[in-house]
Every structure is written in structure tokens, then in C-alpha cells.
């Protein structure tokens, strides 16, 4: 059985009339030069969790070291050297990220961490599904610190509202 081919088509620059070569197709499987998927669906947004600078740096360090696709072994001392924090700050940051559900540990005593595959993933979608089945990661849930930050009054409560800034050259 022979297939009937459609007409040959080309991309044409409308200004010059020249044929433009088509871009190569992007492979669907992750080839190691891809991106990190960050889910925002029904999850709690990160800005509402009141993350400290060390917690943000820890998330970024884990992502850069492959924790979006699998478990990465790291101690608070090693992490502290890379992000410029002391080991107790790193220990607290890792513990809070695990408590929030942004980071998953294979066991309570393990020194390995993985970013929650429901939230971060590098690789094919099919491997993300199998990782979620295997790990059964928790949903991200705000803790007391996040809840008090989101429900507290702003520092300017009771003060006069700040004057709006004007653009350069703008008069009243």
C-alpha cells in the first residue's frame, strides 16, 4: 500500500520571498540538556510558604545537582560550603523543606534528598509518573511559619499609605 504524499511545503520569508529552512524537531525524551518542570497546578505557591534565603538556596542547590530526577546524597556541612551558610542553618533548611513536602527523603535516617516529583521533575513524563508511584510523595502543605507569615498584618499597618512613585518627568 502506498501513501499519498501531500504537497511539498516551505516556510517563506514574506519580506524577501526566500525559503527559510525549518527548525529541527525537538525530541520528546529528555536528553540531559532539558529543563526542570516546575508544577504550579493546585499546589501551594512557593511565595506563600515564607521560605528563608537558605531554604531557597537549598532548593536551587538540589535542583542543580540532579535531585529533580533522583535522590542526591548531601550532608549539611557539604551543602553549607556551597551555599555559604553554616551547618545548623542547612540542617534546619533541609528539615523544613522535608516537613513542607518540597523535598522527599527515602527514609528518616538517610542523608539523601530528592525534590518532590509532583512539584519538580527533569526527564520524560512517563518516568515522572513511575517515580510518583514509587515514592508516593506528599502534597506541599504550609507549616506554622508559613501560616503566620500569610496571616500576619503588614508592617505598615496603622501607618499612612506610602505616596505612589511618579515616572521620570511626570508632574501631578
Amino acid at each position: 500500500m502506498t501513501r499519498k504524499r501531500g504537497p511539498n511545503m516551505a516556510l517563506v520569508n514574506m519580506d524577501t520571498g526566500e525559503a527559510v529552512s525549518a527548525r529541527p524537531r525537538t525530541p520528546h525524551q529528555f536528553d540531559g540538556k532539558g529543563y526542570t518542570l516546575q508544577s504550579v497546578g493546585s499546589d501551594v505557591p512557593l511565595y506563600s510558604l515564607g521560605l528563608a534565603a537558605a531554604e531557597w538556596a537549598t532548593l536551587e542547590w538540589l535542583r542543580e545537582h540532579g535531585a529533580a530526577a533522583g535522590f542526591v546524597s548531601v550532608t549539611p556541612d557539604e551543602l553549607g560550603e556551597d551555599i555559604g551558610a553554616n551547618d545548623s542553618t542547612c540542617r534546619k533548611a533541609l528539615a523544613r523543606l522535608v516537613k513542607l513536602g518540597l523535598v522527599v527523603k527515602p527514609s528518616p535516617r538517610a542523608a539523601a534528598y530528592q525534590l518532590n516529583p509532583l512539584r519538580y521533575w527533569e526527564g520524560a513524563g512517563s518516568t515522572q509518573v513511575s517515580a510518583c508511584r514509587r515514592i508516593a510523595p506528599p502534597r506541599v502543605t504550609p507549616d506554622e511559619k508559613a501560616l503566620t507569615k500569610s496571616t500576619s498584618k503588614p508592617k505598615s499597618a496603622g501607618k499612612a499609605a506610602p505616596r505612589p512613585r511618579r515616572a521620570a518627568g511626570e508632574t501631578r
Side-chain angles (χ1 to χ4, degrees):
M1 175 179 195
T2 61
R3 287 180 57 179
K4 184 177 179 181
R5 286 187 63 180
N8 287 335
M9 299 180 77
L11 296 171
V12 177
N13 183 333
M14 297 300 286
D15 295 331
T16 63
E18 293 180 52
V20 180
S21 61
R23 293 182 184 168
R25 296 191 78 172
T26 303
H28 292 284
Q29 292 293 325
F30 181 69
D31 62 356
K33 300 177 209 148
Y35 58 92
T36 302
L37 166 71
Q38 288 196 22
S39 168
V40 293
S42 62
D43 251 349
V44 176
L46 289 178
Y47 64 82
S48 69
L49 297 175
L51 297 177
E55 294 160 350
W56 283 108
T58 301
L59 284 174
E60 186 63 19
W61 187 94
L62 289 169
R63 189 193 61 77
E64 287 176 355
H65 287 80
F71 286 100
V72 173
S73 180
V74 65
T75 64
D77 294 331
E78 295 168 341
L79 179 64
E81 288 176 16
D82 285 350
I83 68 170
N86 62 30
D87 61 336
S88 65
T89 301
C90 293
R91 190 175 291 109
K92 290 175 187 175
L94 286 166
R96 180 157 188 248
L97 292 172
V98 169
K99 181 179 177 185
L100 289 170
L102 290 170
V103 174
V104 179
K105 288 179 74 168
S107 72
R109 296 182 63 101
Y113 300 89
Q114 180 177 356
L115 295 170
N116 188 332
L118 293 174
R119 185 75 176 202
Y120 301 94
W121 188 253
E122 283 184 359
S126 59
T127 56
Q128 179 188 20
V129 171
S130 63
C132 288
R133 285 186 189 137
R134 178 176 40 86
I135 297 172
R139 290 276 180 199
V140 175
T141 55
D143 61 354
E144 292 175 21
K145 181 180 175 184
L147 294 174
T148 57
K149 286 220 179 232
S150 64
T151 59
S152 64
K153 294 181 181 177
K155 292 179 182 178
S156 63
K159 296 181 183 177
R163 292 186 355 213
R165 298 183 74 185
R166 292 189 215 120
E170 181 181 342
T171 59
R172 292 185 203 226

